[in-house]
């Protein structure tokens, strides 16, 4: 029997595409808050012993984790054969070690919480730093997919003369790869330190690139600080308004507006987190990963 | 070695009193939100292999559960001998069965989540309906204490001629007990149904009680609907403004103001949830329960 794909609130678009791609059924559920702040959860579409796929992007995770747990627990009680979680954006990846004494290594605890309720996990570009894979923290099988090829494809299709820009030398490898894939040149901003508080940031070969559209790419746009700074340097050098691309549109507080005000051109994100800037659809990518884990 | 009592934010008063009562040390911790909505947690006072007591009232639970999990996980990793949770108010007690098909029995899942991170639990007047004790859903040892004697004691001390009032016949047993303990008379409102939509609610023997101060008592004041209605009937009968007492000051949305506007006199609660209306201190009660579980 086909799988049922249940979107938690806000995940309807990706869930519908996913259901179509894997020949699954789309299911309905209800999540709401009681006046006292507790969450209510109910499946409207019966489960009937089938494979259940929950789609829940986990930005702003604290409010979302109990509904996901309630969904997983209820599905199992109601006889689901397996309960998988598709989290296009996965939270709590940054605090992956104890940087200071007494700190919670939240990435481990969050993984442990989720792993005890779900049977498998699919996500896109989790923010892996000191971990080489999710398997180090998640005890359930997982599949990770990367949106970079979709980003390169979007750049190829939408921008006639792009110039990829890396904010610093650390970003060179990642920017170089996206640029190569997009068939575009790239530069990395140069820092010249003249004193403790006097650092000049310049675009190399700036005259050569005046006719090109600068393109900035990052995995997560959260506070957008790095991107806003980079936009400033690019505009100060006299280049065109840069297109700003992020895989995950977290946009903390007022970051989206601030990035626009800083002089960004178009702001483009993948639909891993629902946002006005979503231009790149990841559901095909998710479907390919789900197909890999489904026979588990 | 003495236990360390760590208050999660908002639980400082009760935690300090508890630490004093059990001869424990008070510990410091930091919980804050990153701009992207994730929670950061750190112990400032070292744990040193000691008994750890977290104090965290769990009203508005969805935002609070991950910090409590991070606190418990970190304490264990840092060598705490045992990690207990004092939750003066315990959430997710209402949905204790599947009322409609497909519903999450959230009380079970919430209990399972907490039970897998803590070693014991202490709480005050959990909202038990169809369960006879927390042991049916919590797999860790727990101790439950009741605030009713403190409420009766407060009534005895603060109100010279109280009249306990129950909103309906269901409340009779509970109101009768508090009244007896407070050395006060009680009445239960009478409903006379004249038609489908015509129900008259009256105070029996109303003339007899004009000189007394009506007192309403409930376990949780959340939306305060029942209490507001009861206040209305009491005022309509021409009695004095009733004193409204709740054990747990949940006060959803604007409920506190609405209860005042409905004609309530003084509004009094226990300090299981920090609120301006807190007048009855439960820390002695908590300490007695903690002493019972500590040798576990």
């Amino acid at each position: 029997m086909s799988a049922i794909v249940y979107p938690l609130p806000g995940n309807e678009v990706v869930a519908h595409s996913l259901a179509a791609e894997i020949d699954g059924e789309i299911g309905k559920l209800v999540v709401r808050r009681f006046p006292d702040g507790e969450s209510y959860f109910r499946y409207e579409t019966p489960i009937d012993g089938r494979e259940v796929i929950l789609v829940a992007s986990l930005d702003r995770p604290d409010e979302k984790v109990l509904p996901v747990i309630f969904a997983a627990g209820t599905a199992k009680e109601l006889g689901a054969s397996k309960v998988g979680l598709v989290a296009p954006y996965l939270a709590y990846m940054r605090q992956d070690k104890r940087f200071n004494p007494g700190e919670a290594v939240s990435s481990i605890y969050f993984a442990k919480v989720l792993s005890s309720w779900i049977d498998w996990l699919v996500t896109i570009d989790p923010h892996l730093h000191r971990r080489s894979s999710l398997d180090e923290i998640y005890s359930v099988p997982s599949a990770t997919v990367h949106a970079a090829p979709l980003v390169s494809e979007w750049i190829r299709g939408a921008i006639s003369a792009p110039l990829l820009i890396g904010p610093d030398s650390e970003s060179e490898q990642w920017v170089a790869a996206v640029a190569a894939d997009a068939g575009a040149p790239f530069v990395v901003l140069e820092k010249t330190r003249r004193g403790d508080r006097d650092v000049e940031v310049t675009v190399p070969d700036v005259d050569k690139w005046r006719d090109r559209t600068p393109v900035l790419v990052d995995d997560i746009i959260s506070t957008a600080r790095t991107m806003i700074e980079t936009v400033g340097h690019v505009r100060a050098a006299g280049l065109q308004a840069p297109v700003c691309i992020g895989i995950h549109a977290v946009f903390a507080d007022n970051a989206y507006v601030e990035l626009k005000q800083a002089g960004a051109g178009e702001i483009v994100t993948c639909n891993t987190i629902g946002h006005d800037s979503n231009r790149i659809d990841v559901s095909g990518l998710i479907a390919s990963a789900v197909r890999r884990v489904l026979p588990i």
Side-chain angles (χ1 to χ4, degrees), chain A:
Chain A
M1 224 170 353
S2 69
I4 314 190
V5 181
Y6 291 97
L8 276 285
N11 297 273
E12 292 77 8
V13 174
V14 169
H16 274 79
S17 309
L18 172 63
E21 299 235 18
I22 63 167
D23 246 347
E25 187 190 342
I26 193 86
K28 277 190 185 171
L29 51 76
V30 178
V31 182
R32 60 180 177 81
R33 284 274 182 112
F34 287 108
D36 64 3
E38 297 187 6
S39 289
Y40 170 87
F41 180 89
R42 180 163 57 89
Y43 283 109
E44 288 195 318
T45 311
I47 283 172
D48 296 333
R50 286 153 78 185
E51 186 94 32
V52 163
I53 302 175
L54 305 171
V55 182
S57 208
L58 293 173
D59 58 303
R60 284 87 185 163
D62 292 17
E63 291 81 25
K64 291 176 185 165
V65 70
L66 282 178
V68 167
I69 285 171
F70 295 167
T74 308
K76 291 200 171 183
E77 251 191 291
L78 297 178
S81 62
K82 282 269 166 62
V83 181
L85 173 65
V86 171
Y89 177 73
L90 187 60
Y92 284 109
M93 294 300 297
R94 287 172 191 269
Q95 187 85 23
D96 57 0
K97 63 170 255 188
R98 191 164 288 122
F99 301 99
N100 296 292
E103 277 181 353
V105 186
S106 51
S107 81
I108 291 179
Y109 309 141
F110 190 72
K112 196 176 159 195
V113 169
L114 282 186
S115 296
S116 61
W117 292 88
I118 59 174
D119 295 311
W120 54 262
L121 172 69
V122 160
T123 191
I124 297 177
D125 288 300
H127 205 70
L128 291 163
H129 277 295
R130 275 155 291 264
R131 311 275 172 193
S132 60
S133 102
L134 289 179
D135 296 345
E136 291 180 29
I137 51 175
Y138 281 81
S139 61
V140 294
S142 62
T144 296
V145 276
H146 300 286
L150 295 181
V151 170
S152 302
E153 190 186 312
W154 185 88
I155 295 172
R156 272 202 310 276
I159 305 176
S160 57
L163 168 69
L164 271 287
I165 295 195
D168 50 37
S169 55
E170 275 180 39
S171 64
E172 178 157 347
Q173 230 182 340
W174 146 262
V175 172
V178 174
D181 210 23
F186 77 93
V187 297
V188 167
L189 298 190
E190 276 174 3
K191 282 189 183 171
T192 316
R193 185 171 292 279
R194 293 189 179 130
D196 270 3
R197 289 159 184 275
D198 187 5
V199 179
E200 199 194 10
V201 178
T202 50
V203 181
D205 302 321
V206 64
D207 286 328
K208 197 172 151 189
W209 305 121
R210 291 211 189 283
D211 293 335
R212 292 212 160 236
T213 304
V215 178
L216 315 182
V217 181
D218 208 345
D219 60 344
I220 301 172
I221 313 185
S222 178
T223 60
R225 286 305 115 193
T226 307
M227 215 169 242
I228 285 169
E229 220 172 272
T230 311
V231 167
H233 297 313
V234 167
R235 300 308 305 264
L239 297 188
Q240 298 174 34
V243 173
C244 293
I245 307 180
I247 291 170
H248 301 298
V250 172
F251 289 119
D253 304 327
N254 210 28
Y256 182 63
V257 171
E258 285 166 16
L259 181 55
K260 285 204 152 187
Q261 285 169 347
E266 194 176 2
I267 301 174
V268 172
T269 58
C270 300
N271 59 350
T272 58
I273 298 171
H275 189 265
D276 282 349
S277 59
N278 292 166
R279 299 281 180 279
I280 302 172
D281 179 24
V282 295
S283 38
L285 206 59
I286 290 173
S288 68
V290 168
R291 272 186 224 104
R292 255 156 52 206
V293 293
L294 263 193
I296 284 167

